[in-house]
Amino acid sequence: MSHHYSGPDFGFPHGDARLDLTDLYAFPKPGDAGKSILIMNVHPSASVNPPGFTAADPFAPDALYELKIDTDGDAVADIAYRVRFSASEGGTLTATLRRVEGIQAATTGDSGQAIVQGAPVSMGREARVTDAGDYRFFAGWRSDPFFFDTQGALNNLQFTGDDFFADKDVCSIAIEVPNSELGLQSLGLWARTLHDVGGKWIQADRGARPQQAVFLTGAENADYLAGEPADDARFVAVFAHSLQHAGGYTPQDANLVARRLLPDILPYDPKRPACFPDNGRTLTDDAVDVFLPILTNGKVTGDKVGPHSDLLGEFPYLGPPHKTDS
């Protein structure tokens, strides 16, 4: 799993698949160095515990989907993109995208400057893209670009190259954004989902770097998902403990590796080519083969699975969904 199934026992945060953050991607727009593509994927189409399909509704109307951007290296958001969805009416949903910056970007709420309003959500194979000035926006079902031998991971990291996600779908929020709106400097990115509980926004899931929230948080998983990157130093100990157990690290080395993984932020410089883990993340970067040697202290170097072949050459770049009713 990347960040899929980050709730208790490989389940969903708050018991709702629509709140499950799965992946975060950031890369320069192909053919246009002046823009970036930011993609936040949520809601896996299939669960592993218990096995089966998840809800047909892609996004929760009582949820907030948020991309956070730190522009000055303090692990506190200076810019935020917030997405809300309407309730389903006859199978039709719409989305509103807002942007907020400054002190408000680090707060919790659904306010901000409206960039896109009433954008149609894609329920079928066609990618329904909304143009708004220099922005482009997409939300809806897509083929899950993440690739991983999940069953091998659950079988004590005994990998056979069976890609669990080859025929799975995910719900994507993709934004094409001018780099001038990002500040042009080196950035730190993360994503989060929030759930309206009794009129109060409660953070359900968050993350940036793939897999560590699933494999390293241990008994502190709930606190981690509810936390903020600026406070991630408090999770060094549990990360180090997990690394000692999984990779046989010495306590000192485990502590050093844990500190490199935290805070849980994806570095991104729009002026440079993207390549995980150093700068952003493309849809074909093999994040698993980056993480497994870290987890196992070099004992396991890969899962024998490669990128998917159904990606598009244009926005929103993710392939059409495998299972659709329209």
Side-chain angles (χ1 to χ4, degrees):
M1 293 70 75
S2 179
H3 202 98
H4 305 62
Y5 321 121
S6 50
D9 300 320
F10 299 113
F12 298 118
H14 292 199
D16 189 338
R18 299 171 300 175
L19 301 175
D20 189 1
L21 169 68
T22 67
D23 284 286
L24 175 64
Y25 301 91
F27 51 91
K29 178 183 177 181
D32 187 349
K35 292 185 175 181
S36 288
I37 308 299
L38 307 178
I39 298 175
M40 173 186 183
N41 286 344
V42 300
H43 189 175
S45 64
S47 61
V48 295
N49 184 27
F53 292 107
T54 58
D57 274 354
F59 304 100
D62 58 351
L64 178 64
Y65 300 84
E66 194 168 32
L67 282 163
K68 296 277 202 177
I69 303 172
D70 168 29
T71 64
D72 57 13
D74 63 357
V76 176
D78 302 290
I79 301 169
Y81 287 96
R82 296 166 170 169
V83 184
R84 290 289 311 271
F85 294 91
S86 68
S88 177
E89 296 184 5
T92 299
L93 286 80
T94 62
T96 297
L97 168 68
R98 297 184 183 275
R99 182 182 187 275
V100 62
E101 60 181 316
I103 296 175
Q104 287 189 333
T107 63
T108 297
D110 58 357
S111 62
Q113 174 193 1
I115 304 295
V116 175
Q117 291 183 289
V121 173
S122 294
M123 301 296 288
R125 292 181 60 82
E126 178 188 0
R128 304 180 69 184
V129 174
T130 299
D131 294 302
D134 290 332
Y135 283 85
R136 304 191 84 195
F137 175 82
F138 169 87
W141 285 106
R142 291 279 93 186
S143 172
D144 193 340
F146 183 61
F147 45 100
F148 186 38
D149 181 358
T150 297
Q151 295 305 321
L154 298 176
N155 185 29
N156 197 31
L157 303 184
Q158 301 298 307
F159 295 112
T160 64
D162 181 15
D163 184 0
F164 176 82
F165 296 96
D167 60 353
K168 303 300 190 297
D169 297 325
V170 74
C171 295
S172 296
I173 297 170
I175 308 171
E176 181 179 301
V177 53
N179 289 338
S180 58
E181 294 283 86
L182 302 176
L184 295 177
Q185 65 269 64
S186 296
L187 310 170
L189 311 178
W190 67 99
R192 66 175 186 166
T193 62
L194 301 102
H195 190 203
D196 185 345
V197 180
K200 182 179 180 181
W201 288 115
I202 304 298
Q203 185 168 297
D205 202 355
R206 62 101 178 190
R209 297 172 60 92
Q211 300 196 286
Q212 59 191 46
V214 179
F215 289 98
L216 297 178
T217 55
E220 297 186 40
N221 173 261
D223 288 340
Y224 184 85
L225 297 184
E228 298 281 352
D231 300 322
D232 275 353
R234 64 187 173 125
F235 298 109
V236 167
V238 69
F239 269 43
H241 177 77
S242 297
L243 289 165
Q244 288 181 66
H245 176 74
Y249 286 92
T250 66
Q252 182 180 12
D253 287 345
N255 188 273
L256 289 173
V257 173
R259 290 185 182 279
R260 289 200 297 267
L261 296 175
L262 295 168
D264 189 357
I265 289 178
L266 182 69
Y268 177 56
D269 182 346
K271 300 183 297 297
R272 298 194 294 116
C275 184
F276 182 82
D278 298 320
N279 191 51
R281 181 183 174 192
T282 73
L283 297 169
T284 57
D285 283 339
D286 199 333
V288 170
D289 286 4
V290 171
F291 180 75
L292 284 175
I294 296 173
L295 177 69
T296 66
N297 199 8
K299 297 179 180 67
V300 180
T301 58
D303 67 339
K304 307 176 184 178
V305 177
H308 296 166
S309 60
D310 60 354
L311 300 173
L312 305 181
E314 60 184 9
F315 189 83
Y317 302 100
L318 305 110
H322 300 275
K323 184 178 184 297
T324 176
D325 297 325
S326 57

